Amino acid sequence: VDAALAGLRKQGITPCILSGDRQGAVQRMALQLGIEDMQAEVTAAEKYAYLVDLQASGHRVLMVGDGLNDTAALAAAHASVAPSSALDASRNAADVVLLRDSLADFPRLVLIARAAMRLSKQNFAIAAAYNAIAVPVALMGYATPLIAAIAMSVSSITVLANAMRVRRA
């Protein structure tokens, strides 16, 4: 867990604990993990409200939870993760379910997600640029069907090749 938290902090993510557990147990865990922002004895409604307030103030929220009282917050977060050992309701509400019990690869998950978003935006730009050029050329009659088919294939291959770059993340 320490390595996962260090990796997240390195990416600029500030961890916070919102727990329904008792104050003493949550304080001990937060101290052990080096997490300053913690709240204990929080209800499901309070977790949801906390996340909505964070989002309203401009934060992008990543929620990790495994209990029944986490489901509303998992559904409300920008991105949410549940371990495979979580309750069915939490796993269903989460965007991603971790198949391993370890959080060691969690920072890598965030890196891959960010790379996928960046590449998706690039692919939309590539497709828009292709259509901005190819459609008027075709409408004006300057492209034969063969040239149009080749251009479309090249565009598709370009988008696919760009998407394959996510493997480097």
Side-chain angles (χ1 to χ4, degrees), residues 16-167:
C16 168
I17 296 176
L18 295 177
S19 177
D21 294 335
R22 297 184 192 263
Q23 184 76 23
V26 176
Q27 279 181 329
R28 282 190 299 279
M29 182 61 66
L31 185 62
Q32 180 182 355
L33 297 174
I35 297 175
E36 296 176 17
D37 189 2
M38 54 79 54
Q39 294 183 32
E41 301 177 27
V42 180
T43 67
E46 291 169 336
K47 286 181 183 184
Y48 175 81
Y50 185 86
L51 263 64
V52 169
D53 288 344
L54 280 175
Q55 291 171 334
S57 64
H59 294 279
R60 299 195 50 86
V61 177
L62 169 63
M63 170 73 181
V64 180
D66 65 350
L68 187 60
N69 68 346
D70 295 324
T71 55
L74 287 166
H78 285 99
S80 56
V81 177
S84 61
S85 60
L87 293 176
D88 286 344
S90 294
R91 288 194 317 258
N92 288 332
D95 298 314
V96 174
V97 176
L98 297 175
L99 299 179
R100 296 182 185 160
D101 290 334
S102 171
L103 292 176
D105 289 334
F106 196 70
R108 188 173 181 199
L109 170 70
V110 174
L111 282 173
I112 291 169
R114 286 179 172 171
M117 279 294 287
R118 186 176 54 256
L119 293 172
S120 293
K121 289 176 183 176
Q122 289 174 3
N123 283 342
F124 280 120
I126 290 168
Y130 167 79
N131 286 323
I133 295 167
V135 170
V137 168
L139 287 174
M140 289 186 284
Y142 295 127
T144 65
L146 177 62
I147 290 176
I150 291 170
M152 186 63 191
S153 296
V154 168
S155 171
S156 296
I157 290 170
T158 303
V159 167
L160 182 61
N162 191 47
M164 296 290 284
R165 293 176 42 220
V166 79
R167 289 181 169 183

